[in-house]
Amino acid sequence: MRHKPKVRTCLWFNNNGEEAAEFYASLLPDSAIERVSRPEPGKPALVVELSLGGTPYMFLNGGPQYKQSPAASIVVRTADQAETDRLWNALLADGGEESRCAWLTDRFGVSWQIVPEALAQMLGADDREAAGRAMAAMLQMNKIDITELEAAFRGTFGGSQ
């Protein structure tokens, strides 16, 4: 029997929460739509319960009163550049907007951070000078480029030694 989570993060949508849930679940392994509550047949769902990468969420189609905000974002830790690129490109498709330092807003207005594991490792390294160089490089990026981060970490970013 699967554990039913007691706590879920709820995101407010105007009327396209089910579409967003289906799209997001298609992008991340260990994701699924768990339940759709549709009080009126043929109308948008009121509530969609889902998991993204094993994390529980609830999407509420509550109407136009509230908008998504970067004050809350979904963070995805990626294993490598290929996964970073795949998610970044998929989330930007059809009207998303990129921002700085691994942030983007998708076509539904939801903010995401697509963060390679390598970035967290470099920023947390014992070598604080190397971590600072990686941080400075990251601050210049939109999508994170692991190769450029590694070069900055080593002190060879931009050809300097």
Side-chain angles (χ1 to χ4, degrees):
M1 183 165 124
R2 212 177 142 121
H3 169 72
K4 182 167 172 103
K6 189 174 191 119
V7 176
R8 288 181 185 267
T9 298
C10 179
L11 298 181
W12 183 289
F13 292 81
N14 181 6
N15 63 2
N16 57 358
E18 187 173 9
E19 178 187 353
E22 289 170 354
F23 176 59
Y24 300 159
S26 75
L27 294 178
L28 297 165
D30 195 23
S31 298
I33 294 177
E34 299 163 352
R35 186 170 66 164
V36 177
S37 298
R38 189 182 321 279
E40 298 181 51
K43 299 283 185 182
L46 177 62
V47 172
V48 179
E49 293 184 27
L50 67 151
S51 64
L52 298 176
T55 301
Y57 287 89
M58 182 175 84
F59 291 1
L60 171 68
N61 281 326
Q65 302 89 303
Y66 300 112
K67 304 285 184 223
Q68 298 290 335
S69 162
S73 62
I74 299 174
V75 180
V76 180
R77 288 273 175 103
T78 56
D80 54 29
Q81 193 67 52
E83 185 181 20
T84 300
D85 293 346
R86 180 183 66 79
L87 289 173
W88 187 266
N89 294 333
L91 290 165
L92 285 177
D94 301 321
E97 294 183 29
E98 62 182 359
S99 189
R100 305 294 284 172
C101 307
W103 289 69
L104 63 85
T105 302
D106 70 20
R107 69 179 185 251
F108 301 103
V110 174
S111 292
W112 293 77
Q113 297 177 58
I114 308 302
V115 183
E117 285 287 341
L119 174 61
Q121 292 169 358
M122 285 182 241
L123 296 182
D126 290 338
D127 183 341
R128 300 314 302 153
E129 286 184 23
R133 289 189 302 269
M135 173 68 95
M138 185 265 311
L139 291 172
Q140 301 303 310
M141 297 178 185
N142 289 352
K143 178 178 70 175
I144 302 302
D145 182 312
I146 297 170
T147 300
E148 287 185 23
L149 277 180
E150 289 170 339
F153 187 82
R154 288 188 310 270
T156 58
F157 185 70
S160 62
Q161 295 281 335

